[in-house]
Amino acid sequence: MADVAVLGAGSWGTTFAKTLADGGADTVLWARRPEAAREIDESRRNTRYLPGITLPASLHATSDIRAALEGASQVYLAVPSQQLRQLLREHGDAIEAGAPVVSLMKGVEAGTRLRMSEVIAQELRIDPERIAVVSGPNLALEIAQEQPTAAVVSSTSPTTARDVAKRARNDYFHSFINTDVIGTEFGGVLKNLVALAIGIVDGVGYGENTKASIITRGLAELTDFAVAHGAERETLRGLAGLGDLIATCGSPLSRNFTAGRLLGMGYSRTDVIARMEQVAEGLASVDPVAELAAARGVRMPILEQVRLVLDGAMDPRDIAPHLTTDDEPIEE
C-alpha cells in the first residue's frame, strides 16, 4: 500500500509522482499501459514522456488502478480532463473513504462546462472540502530536472489545502495554499488559451512585441472571466494566474504553445491533435470556455480569434492585429 496514489503517467503525472516521492511519500503511479508501468517500476524511467530522468526508488507503478488506490491516504488525478468523469465512474468506489482527492488537471469538461473539481464532487458525491486543486508555473520536464519552482494548492478547506501542501513539498518544489478554488482552476485553464494564441503568432513568425501585447491583454481577459465566475482578482495576479501564464506562454515545453505554433504554421486542428504526443488541454477547453464567457457577458477577443483559427474560419496570419488591439472606443 502507498501513502499516496497518482493516476496518470504522462509527463505531468509522472513528474508530480516524483515530486511527492522526493518529499518522502511512498507513491504509487497508475499507468494505463502495462509496458509503461513495468519500465517505471523496473528501470526507474519513463522514456516516452520524461527522457533522461531517473525516478526515485520510493515511486512504484502499476497498470492496475484499483491496486494503486488501495490504502492511499491522498489521491492525485493527472488524466486528460475529458476522460476524468468516466475514470471516476468506473473506479471512484476504490478511493479510500475520507482521502483527499487532488486535481492536477487544467481543463473544462466539454458539454457540462464544469471545472475538474466540480466533476470530482459530482461524480464521487463527496464534500468539496475533501477536494483540492494544484496549479502554477509547472512545466513538467523542468520540475523533473529538479529546477526550483512553486505552486498553489487550493481547497475550500484550509485543512485539506495544508495537508496536501505538506505532501507536495521538497527541496525544489514549494507549495503555497489558498481557498480560492475557482480562481486557481480558471487561471490554469485560461492561460492555456492564451498560450495557444502565443503559439499561433510564433508559428506565423511574429516577434516579442506581439507576444508581450497578447500576454498582457490575455491576463486582463482571463482575470475578467474568472472574477465574473466568483474568483478573487488577487489570485490571478499570483502563481496560479500570472505565474502560470508566463511559464506556459514562454516555453517550447508547453503543450499548448506547441499546439498553437503548429496552427500558426498552417496545420488544421485535426492535424495538430494527431501530431501531439500528449493532450494539449487548451484545444478541448476553447469551446466550453467561450460558452461560459457568453453566458456571463464577458468579452474575450483573444479567445474568439483563437476559436476562429481552430475552426478554419481565419487565416493564422491575420490573427495578430485582432489579438493586440481593443475594439472599444478610445476616450479622449
Side-chain angles (χ1 to χ4, degrees):
M1 294 185 187
D3 288 339
V4 298
V6 179
L7 305 187
S11 59
W12 184 220
T14 305
T15 294
F16 209 86
K18 179 184 184 298
T19 299
L20 293 163
D22 285 343
D26 287 329
T27 306
V28 170
L29 175 63
W30 172 69
R32 193 179 301 275
R33 296 180 298 113
E35 60 272 23
R38 280 195 302 272
E39 182 190 30
I40 293 167
D41 220 32
E42 297 172 5
S43 303
R44 311 278 98 214
R45 297 288 178 127
N46 187 341
T47 52
R48 181 175 182 181
Y49 296 122
L50 293 177
I53 301 299
T54 300
L55 302 172
S58 55
L59 169 58
H60 301 282
T62 178
S63 58
D64 183 339
I65 190 170
R66 290 182 170 263
L69 291 169
E70 185 179 0
S73 61
Q74 294 181 356
V75 176
Y76 294 78
L77 302 172
V79 299
S81 59
Q82 306 309 315
Q83 298 175 17
L84 175 63
R85 185 179 295 276
Q86 189 61 36
L87 183 85
L88 295 178
R89 187 165 293 173
E90 293 176 358
H91 303 290
D93 63 309
I95 296 174
E96 295 290 327
V101 180
V102 186
S103 169
L104 304 177
M105 300 161 291
K106 298 177 179 179
V108 173
E109 187 178 48
T112 67
R113 299 178 294 193
L114 295 177
R115 292 175 283 111
M116 296 296 97
S117 65
E118 294 176 306
V119 174
I120 293 167
Q122 188 179 83
E123 199 59 43
L124 295 182
R125 299 178 184 177
I126 60 175
D127 191 322
E129 293 199 346
R130 270 183 61 192
I131 301 169
V133 302
V134 177
S135 196
N138 300 149
L139 296 167
L141 184 59
E142 290 187 4
I143 298 173
Q145 293 169 339
E146 303 184 8
Q147 297 183 31
T149 192
V152 173
V153 177
S154 184
S155 174
T156 56
S157 163
T159 300
T160 297
R162 279 193 295 269
D163 288 346
V164 172
K166 286 176 184 176
R167 287 289 194 192
R169 183 176 296 176
N170 57 41
D171 291 342
Y172 58 86
F173 191 92
H174 185 80
S175 293
F176 295 89
I177 66 171
N178 72 31
T179 55
D180 182 14
V181 175
I182 296 172
T184 301
E185 280 194 288
F186 273 139
V189 170
L190 297 168
K191 58 86 189 180
N192 286 337
L193 310 184
V194 180
L196 285 173
I198 295 293
I200 290 170
V201 299
D202 186 82
V204 168
Y206 289 114
E208 301 310 312
N209 293 336
T210 306
K211 295 173 189 174
S213 300
I214 294 170
I215 290 172
T216 305
R217 295 304 308 156
L219 178 61
E221 226 173 86
L222 68 86
T223 300
D224 288 346
F225 176 97
V227 169
H229 286 82
E232 298 172 17
R233 189 173 296 273
E234 191 65 28
T235 302
L236 284 306
R237 296 172 181 159
L239 289 167
L242 179 59
D244 201 1
L245 183 67
I246 292 169
T248 304
C249 290
S251 174
L253 294 175
S254 163
R255 302 175 207 170
N256 293 282
F257 172 85
T258 300
R261 194 168 190 277
L262 291 170
L263 289 166
M265 293 168 65
Y267 290 96
S268 69
R269 183 203 295 244
T270 302
D271 291 336
V272 169
I273 293 171
R275 291 174 68 91
M276 295 291 292
E277 278 284 322
Q278 298 187 79
V279 174
E281 292 285 9
L283 294 174
S285 296
V286 168
D287 289 336
V289 169
E291 292 163 6
L292 287 169
R296 295 292 175 101
V298 180
R299 291 183 67 253
M300 300 190 76
I302 293 176
L303 170 63
E304 287 303 324
Q305 305 309 315
V306 170
R307 195 180 189 188
L308 288 172
V309 171
L310 280 170
D311 291 343
M314 174 180 280
D315 188 315
R317 290 172 295 184
D318 297 332
I319 194 173
H322 297 281
L323 295 180
T324 57
T325 59
D326 194 325
D327 293 332
E328 291 294 316
I330 298 174
E331 294 181 5
E332 295 184 351

PDB file of all heavy atoms in Angstrom, residues 233-262:
ATOM      1  N   ARG A 233      -9.764  38.450  -7.578  1.00  0.00           N
ATOM      2  CA  ARG A 233      -8.864  39.063  -8.556  1.00  0.00           C
ATOM      3  C   ARG A 233      -7.397  38.834  -8.198  1.00  0.00           C
ATOM      4  O   ARG A 233      -6.553  38.604  -9.064  1.00  0.00           O
ATOM      5  CB  ARG A 233      -9.166  40.567  -8.657  1.00  0.00           C
ATOM      6  CG  ARG A 233      -8.456  41.264  -9.792  1.00  0.00           C
ATOM      7  CD  ARG A 233      -8.960  42.710  -9.922  1.00  0.00           C
ATOM      8  NE  ARG A 233     -10.371  42.745 -10.277  1.00  0.00           N
ATOM      9  CZ  ARG A 233     -10.832  42.713 -11.517  1.00  0.00           C
ATOM     10  NH1 ARG A 233      -9.980  42.620 -12.530  1.00  0.00           N
ATOM     11  NH2 ARG A 233     -12.121  42.763 -11.756  1.00  0.00           N
ATOM     12  N   GLU A 234      -7.085  38.861  -6.912  1.00  0.00           N
ATOM     13  CA  GLU A 234      -5.698  38.715  -6.462  1.00  0.00           C
ATOM     14  C   GLU A 234      -5.107  37.369  -6.871  1.00  0.00           C
ATOM     15  O   GLU A 234      -3.908  37.261  -7.133  1.00  0.00           O
ATOM     16  CB  GLU A 234      -5.625  38.891  -4.935  1.00  0.00           C
ATOM     17  CG  GLU A 234      -4.225  39.012  -4.385  1.00  0.00           C
ATOM     18  CD  GLU A 234      -3.505  40.278  -4.864  1.00  0.00           C
ATOM     19  OE1 GLU A 234      -4.190  41.279  -5.159  1.00  0.00           O
ATOM     20  OE2 GLU A 234      -2.265  40.245  -4.932  1.00  0.00           O
ATOM     21  N   THR A 235      -5.929  36.337  -6.920  1.00  0.00           N
ATOM     22  CA  THR A 235      -5.433  35.009  -7.292  1.00  0.00           C
ATOM     23  C   THR A 235      -4.825  35.016  -8.684  1.00  0.00           C
ATOM     24  O   THR A 235      -3.815  34.361  -8.939  1.00  0.00           O
ATOM     25  CB  THR A 235      -6.584  33.978  -7.245  1.00  0.00           C
ATOM     26  OG1 THR A 235      -7.133  33.965  -5.925  1.00  0.00           O
ATOM     27  CG2 THR A 235      -6.097  32.582  -7.602  1.00  0.00           C
ATOM     28  N   LEU A 236      -5.418  35.775  -9.592  1.00  0.00           N
ATOM     29  CA  LEU A 236      -4.943  35.803 -10.971  1.00  0.00           C
ATOM     30  C   LEU A 236      -3.660  36.607 -11.126  1.00  0.00           C
ATOM     31  O   LEU A 236      -3.005  36.538 -12.175  1.00  0.00           O
ATOM     32  CB  LEU A 236      -6.037  36.364 -11.891  1.00  0.00           C
ATOM     33  CG  LEU A 236      -7.200  35.415 -12.233  1.00  0.00           C
ATOM     34  CD1 LEU A 236      -6.681  34.108 -12.806  1.00  0.00           C
ATOM     35  CD2 LEU A 236      -8.099  35.152 -11.044  1.00  0.00           C
ATOM     36  N   ARG A 237      -3.272  37.337 -10.091  1.00  0.00           N
ATOM     37  CA  ARG A 237      -2.003  38.072 -10.113  1.00  0.00           C
ATOM     38  C   ARG A 237      -0.862  37.235  -9.538  1.00  0.00           C
ATOM     39  O   ARG A 237       0.285  37.680  -9.521  1.00  0.00           O
ATOM     40  CB  ARG A 237      -2.128  39.360  -9.302  1.00  0.00           C
ATOM     41  CG  ARG A 237      -3.140  40.348  -9.868  1.00  0.00           C
ATOM     42  CD  ARG A 237      -3.364  41.501  -8.912  1.00  0.00           C
ATOM     43  NE  ARG A 237      -4.354  42.443  -9.421  1.00  0.00           N
ATOM     44  CZ  ARG A 237      -5.036  43.307  -8.666  1.00  0.00           C
ATOM     45  NH1 ARG A 237      -4.812  43.331  -7.357  1.00  0.00           N
ATOM     46  NH2 ARG A 237      -5.914  44.123  -9.203  1.00  0.00           N
ATOM     47  N   GLY A 238      -1.199  36.049  -9.040  1.00  0.00           N
ATOM     48  CA  GLY A 238      -0.201  35.216  -8.377  1.00  0.00           C
ATOM     49  C   GLY A 238       0.255  34.045  -9.213  1.00  0.00           C
ATOM     50  O   GLY A 238       0.151  34.038 -10.450  1.00  0.00           O
ATOM     51  N   LEU A 239       0.743  33.016  -8.538  1.00  0.00           N
ATOM     52  CA  LEU A 239       1.314  31.850  -9.207  1.00  0.00           C
ATOM     53  C   LEU A 239       0.321  31.148 -10.126  1.00  0.00           C
ATOM     54  O   LEU A 239       0.684  30.676 -11.209  1.00  0.00           O
ATOM     55  CB  LEU A 239       1.831  30.855  -8.160  1.00  0.00           C
ATOM     56  CG  LEU A 239       3.080  31.257  -7.386  1.00  0.00           C
ATOM     57  CD1 LEU A 239       3.271  30.325  -6.195  1.00  0.00           C
ATOM     58  CD2 LEU A 239       4.308  31.237  -8.287  1.00  0.00           C
ATOM     59  N   ALA A 240      -0.936  31.060  -9.689  1.00  0.00           N
ATOM     60  CA  ALA A 240      -1.941  30.321 -10.457  1.00  0.00           C
ATOM     61  C   ALA A 240      -2.452  31.096 -11.660  1.00  0.00           C
ATOM     62  O   ALA A 240      -3.115  30.528 -12.525  1.00  0.00           O
ATOM     63  CB  ALA A 240      -3.123  29.940  -9.559  1.00  0.00           C
ATOM     64  N   GLY A 241      -2.140  32.383 -11.739  1.00  0.00           N
ATOM     65  CA  GLY A 241      -2.564  33.192 -12.863  1.00  0.00           C
ATOM     66  C   GLY A 241      -1.372  33.673 -13.665  1.00  0.00           C
ATOM     67  O   GLY A 241      -0.934  33.032 -14.625  1.00  0.00           O
ATOM     68  N   LEU A 242      -0.799  34.810 -13.245  1.00  0.00           N
ATOM     69  CA  LEU A 242       0.318  35.405 -13.960  1.00  0.00           C
ATOM     70  C   LEU A 242       1.518  34.460 -14.045  1.00  0.00           C
ATOM     71  O   LEU A 242       2.150  34.333 -15.105  1.00  0.00           O
ATOM     72  CB  LEU A 242       0.722  36.716 -13.294  1.00  0.00           C
ATOM     73  CG  LEU A 242       1.899  37.466 -13.922  1.00  0.00           C
ATOM     74  CD1 LEU A 242       1.615  37.826 -15.367  1.00  0.00           C
ATOM     75  CD2 LEU A 242       2.215  38.720 -13.105  1.00  0.00           C
ATOM     76  N   GLY A 243       1.840  33.789 -12.938  1.00  0.00           N
ATOM     77  CA  GLY A 243       2.995  32.884 -12.945  1.00  0.00           C
ATOM     78  C   GLY A 243       2.857  31.777 -13.965  1.00  0.00           C
ATOM     79  O   GLY A 243       3.782  31.510 -14.749  1.00  0.00           O
ATOM     80  N   ASP A 244       1.714  31.146 -13.972  1.00  0.00           N
ATOM     81  CA  ASP A 244       1.463  30.061 -14.925  1.00  0.00           C
ATOM     82  C   ASP A 244       1.418  30.582 -16.351  1.00  0.00           C
ATOM     83  O   ASP A 244       1.904  29.941 -17.292  1.00  0.00           O
ATOM     84  CB  ASP A 244       0.133  29.384 -14.555  1.00  0.00           C
ATOM     85  CG  ASP A 244       0.011  27.981 -15.125  1.00  0.00           C
ATOM     86  OD1 ASP A 244       0.952  27.507 -15.788  1.00  0.00           O
ATOM     87  OD2 ASP A 244      -1.037  27.344 -14.892  1.00  0.00           O
ATOM     88  N   LEU A 245       0.856  31.769 -16.528  1.00  0.00           N
ATOM     89  CA  LEU A 245       0.757  32.375 -17.850  1.00  0.00           C
ATOM     90  C   LEU A 245       2.140  32.618 -18.448  1.00  0.00           C
ATOM     91  O   LEU A 245       2.410  32.284 -19.610  1.00  0.00           O
ATOM     92  CB  LEU A 245      -0.020  33.689 -17.751  1.00  0.00           C
ATOM     93  CG  LEU A 245      -0.289  34.444 -19.049  1.00  0.00           C
ATOM     94  CD1 LEU A 245      -1.233  33.668 -19.946  1.00  0.00           C
ATOM     95  CD2 LEU A 245      -0.869  35.826 -18.736  1.00  0.00           C
ATOM     96  N   ILE A 246       3.046  33.181 -17.658  1.00  0.00           N
ATOM     97  CA  ILE A 246       4.395  33.475 -18.147  1.00  0.00           C
ATOM     98  C   ILE A 246       5.113  32.191 -18.547  1.00  0.00           C
ATOM     99  O   ILE A 246       5.722  32.100 -19.614  1.00  0.00           O
ATOM    100  CB  ILE A 246       5.204  34.234 -17.077  1.00  0.00           C
ATOM    101  CG1 ILE A 246       4.630  35.638 -16.872  1.00  0.00           C
ATOM    102  CG2 ILE A 246       6.674  34.324 -17.466  1.00  0.00           C
ATOM    103  CD1 ILE A 246       5.198  36.367 -15.665  1.00  0.00           C
ATOM    104  N   ALA A 247       5.044  31.182 -17.682  1.00  0.00           N
ATOM    105  CA  ALA A 247       5.750  29.932 -17.970  1.00  0.00           C
ATOM    106  C   ALA A 247       5.197  29.243 -19.217  1.00  0.00           C
ATOM    107  O   ALA A 247       5.946  28.778 -20.075  1.00  0.00           O
ATOM    108  CB  ALA A 247       5.647  28.990 -16.767  1.00  0.00           C
ATOM    109  N   THR A 248       3.886  29.201 -19.334  1.00  0.00           N
ATOM    110  CA  THR A 248       3.258  28.466 -20.433  1.00  0.00           C
ATOM    111  C   THR A 248       3.421  29.178 -21.769  1.00  0.00           C
ATOM    112  O   THR A 248       3.588  28.539 -22.809  1.00  0.00           O
ATOM    113  CB  THR A 248       1.764  28.253 -20.136  1.00  0.00           C
ATOM    114  OG1 THR A 248       1.632  27.588 -18.883  1.00  0.00           O
ATOM    115  CG2 THR A 248       1.106  27.398 -21.195  1.00  0.00           C
ATOM    116  N   CYS A 249       3.373  30.512 -21.738  1.00  0.00           N
ATOM    117  CA  CYS A 249       3.455  31.259 -22.995  1.00  0.00           C
ATOM    118  C   CYS A 249       4.894  31.439 -23.479  1.00  0.00           C
ATOM    119  O   CYS A 249       5.107  31.792 -24.636  1.00  0.00           O
ATOM    120  CB  CYS A 249       2.812  32.635 -22.819  1.00  0.00           C
ATOM    121  SG  CYS A 249       1.020  32.578 -22.636  1.00  0.00           S
ATOM    122  N   GLY A 250       5.858  31.190 -22.612  1.00  0.00           N
ATOM    123  CA  GLY A 250       7.229  31.489 -22.983  1.00  0.00           C
ATOM    124  C   GLY A 250       8.113  30.289 -23.217  1.00  0.00           C
ATOM    125  O   GLY A 250       9.318  30.439 -23.402  1.00  0.00           O
ATOM    126  N   SER A 251       7.548  29.089 -23.240  1.00  0.00           N
ATOM    127  CA  SER A 251       8.401  27.907 -23.316  1.00  0.00           C
ATOM    128  C   SER A 251       7.940  26.922 -24.383  1.00  0.00           C
ATOM    129  O   SER A 251       6.747  26.595 -24.456  1.00  0.00           O
ATOM    130  CB  SER A 251       8.427  27.188 -21.965  1.00  0.00           C
ATOM    131  OG  SER A 251       9.134  25.963 -22.068  1.00  0.00           O
ATOM    132  N   PRO A 252       8.867  26.394 -25.161  1.00  0.00           N
ATOM    133  CA  PRO A 252       8.516  25.330 -26.113  1.00  0.00           C
ATOM    134  C   PRO A 252       8.174  24.019 -25.416  1.00  0.00           C
ATOM    135  O   PRO A 252       7.688  23.085 -26.060  1.00  0.00           O
ATOM    136  CB  PRO A 252       9.791  25.185 -26.961  1.00  0.00           C
ATOM    137  CG  PRO A 252      10.893  25.719 -26.111  1.00  0.00           C
ATOM    138  CD  PRO A 252      10.273  26.812 -25.292  1.00  0.00           C
ATOM    139  N   LEU A 253       8.403  23.940 -24.091  1.00  0.00           N
ATOM    140  CA  LEU A 253       7.997  22.753 -23.330  1.00  0.00           C
ATOM    141  C   LEU A 253       6.483  22.712 -23.133  1.00  0.00           C
ATOM    142  O   LEU A 253       5.926  21.676 -22.781  1.00  0.00           O
ATOM    143  CB  LEU A 253       8.681  22.724 -21.960  1.00  0.00           C
ATOM    144  CG  LEU A 253      10.203  22.552 -21.952  1.00  0.00           C
ATOM    145  CD1 LEU A 253      10.734  22.662 -20.518  1.00  0.00           C
ATOM    146  CD2 LEU A 253      10.603  21.212 -22.564  1.00  0.00           C
ATOM    147  N   SER A 254       5.829  23.853 -23.333  1.00  0.00           N
ATOM    148  CA  SER A 254       4.377  23.932 -23.146  1.00  0.00           C
ATOM    149  C   SER A 254       3.646  23.245 -24.287  1.00  0.00           C
ATOM    150  O   SER A 254       3.860  23.563 -25.461  1.00  0.00           O
ATOM    151  CB  SER A 254       3.942  25.399 -23.067  1.00  0.00           C
ATOM    152  OG  SER A 254       2.553  25.529 -23.286  1.00  0.00           O
ATOM    153  N   ARG A 255       2.763  22.305 -23.959  1.00  0.00           N
ATOM    154  CA  ARG A 255       1.987  21.609 -24.989  1.00  0.00           C
ATOM    155  C   ARG A 255       1.074  22.574 -25.743  1.00  0.00           C
ATOM    156  O   ARG A 255       0.880  22.446 -26.958  1.00  0.00           O
ATOM    157  CB  ARG A 255       1.123  20.523 -24.348  1.00  0.00           C
ATOM    158  CG  ARG A 255       1.882  19.493 -23.562  1.00  0.00           C
ATOM    159  CD  ARG A 255       0.896  18.545 -22.885  1.00  0.00           C
ATOM    160  NE  ARG A 255       1.452  17.974 -21.678  1.00  0.00           N
ATOM    161  CZ  ARG A 255       0.756  17.267 -20.803  1.00  0.00           C
ATOM    162  NH1 ARG A 255      -0.530  17.053 -21.022  1.00  0.00           N
ATOM    163  NH2 ARG A 255       1.327  16.777 -19.727  1.00  0.00           N
ATOM    164  N   ASN A 256       0.488  23.526 -25.017  1.00  0.00           N
ATOM    165  CA  ASN A 256      -0.460  24.433 -25.662  1.00  0.00           C
ATOM    166  C   ASN A 256       0.258  25.423 -26.570  1.00  0.00           C
ATOM    167  O   ASN A 256      -0.239  25.752 -27.655  1.00  0.00           O
ATOM    168  CB  ASN A 256      -1.286  25.149 -24.591  1.00  0.00           C
ATOM    169  CG  ASN A 256      -2.196  24.176 -23.871  1.00  0.00           C
ATOM    170  OD1 ASN A 256      -3.237  23.789 -24.381  1.00  0.00           O
ATOM    171  ND2 ASN A 256      -1.798  23.742 -22.678  1.00  0.00           N
ATOM    172  N   PHE A 257       1.425  25.904 -26.154  1.00  0.00           N
ATOM    173  CA  PHE A 257       2.237  26.730 -27.037  1.00  0.00           C
ATOM    174  C   PHE A 257       2.603  25.950 -28.304  1.00  0.00           C
ATOM    175  O   PHE A 257       2.510  26.468 -29.414  1.00  0.00           O
ATOM    176  CB  PHE A 257       3.509  27.179 -26.310  1.00  0.00           C
ATOM    177  CG  PHE A 257       4.509  27.870 -27.196  1.00  0.00           C
ATOM    178  CD1 PHE A 257       4.412  29.227 -27.442  1.00  0.00           C
ATOM    179  CD2 PHE A 257       5.531  27.156 -27.799  1.00  0.00           C
ATOM    180  CE1 PHE A 257       5.327  29.866 -28.278  1.00  0.00           C
ATOM    181  CE2 PHE A 257       6.450  27.779 -28.631  1.00  0.00           C
ATOM    182  CZ  PHE A 257       6.353  29.142 -28.870  1.00  0.00           C
ATOM    183  N   THR A 258       2.998  24.692 -28.124  1.00  0.00           N
ATOM    184  CA  THR A 258       3.371  23.850 -29.263  1.00  0.00           C
ATOM    185  C   THR A 258       2.197  23.640 -30.207  1.00  0.00           C
ATOM    186  O   THR A 258       2.335  23.730 -31.437  1.00  0.00           O
ATOM    187  CB  THR A 258       3.901  22.492 -28.769  1.00  0.00           C
ATOM    188  OG1 THR A 258       5.047  22.716 -27.935  1.00  0.00           O
ATOM    189  CG2 THR A 258       4.292  21.594 -29.928  1.00  0.00           C
ATOM    190  N   ALA A 259       1.022  23.369 -29.635  1.00  0.00           N
ATOM    191  CA  ALA A 259      -0.170  23.189 -30.470  1.00  0.00           C
ATOM    192  C   ALA A 259      -0.493  24.460 -31.239  1.00  0.00           C
ATOM    193  O   ALA A 259      -0.812  24.424 -32.440  1.00  0.00           O
ATOM    194  CB  ALA A 259      -1.354  22.780 -29.594  1.00  0.00           C
ATOM    195  N   GLY A 260      -0.408  25.607 -30.554  1.00  0.00           N
ATOM    196  CA  GLY A 260      -0.659  26.871 -31.230  1.00  0.00           C
ATOM    197  C   GLY A 260       0.343  27.133 -32.342  1.00  0.00           C
ATOM    198  O   GLY A 260      -0.022  27.623 -33.418  1.00  0.00           O
ATOM    199  N   ARG A 261       1.601  26.810 -32.100  1.00  0.00           N
ATOM    200  CA  ARG A 261       2.641  27.023 -33.107  1.00  0.00           C
ATOM    201  C   ARG A 261       2.337  26.214 -34.378  1.00  0.00           C
ATOM    202  O   ARG A 261       2.529  26.698 -35.500  1.00  0.00           O
ATOM    203  CB  ARG A 261       4.000  26.650 -32.542  1.00  0.00           C
ATOM    204  CG  ARG A 261       5.172  27.139 -33.374  1.00  0.00           C
ATOM    205  CD  ARG A 261       6.486  26.986 -32.619  1.00  0.00           C
ATOM    206  NE  ARG A 261       7.544  27.677 -33.349  1.00  0.00           N
ATOM    207  CZ  ARG A 261       8.201  27.153 -34.368  1.00  0.00           C
ATOM    208  NH1 ARG A 261       7.902  25.923 -34.781  1.00  0.00           N
ATOM    209  NH2 ARG A 261       9.139  27.832 -34.985  1.00  0.00           N
ATOM    210  N   LEU A 262       1.871  24.981 -34.183  1.00  0.00           N
ATOM    211  CA  LEU A 262       1.505  24.159 -35.344  1.00  0.00           C
ATOM    212  C   LEU A 262       0.326  24.775 -36.099  1.00  0.00           C
ATOM    213  O   LEU A 262       0.299  24.775 -37.337  1.00  0.00           O
ATOM    214  CB  LEU A 262       1.166  22.740 -34.887  1.00  0.00           C
ATOM    215  CG  LEU A 262       2.346  21.899 -34.370  1.00  0.00           C
ATOM    216  CD1 LEU A 262       1.845  20.609 -33.729  1.00  0.00           C
ATOM    217  CD2 LEU A 262       3.322  21.584 -35.502  1.00  0.00           C
TER     218      LEU A 262
END
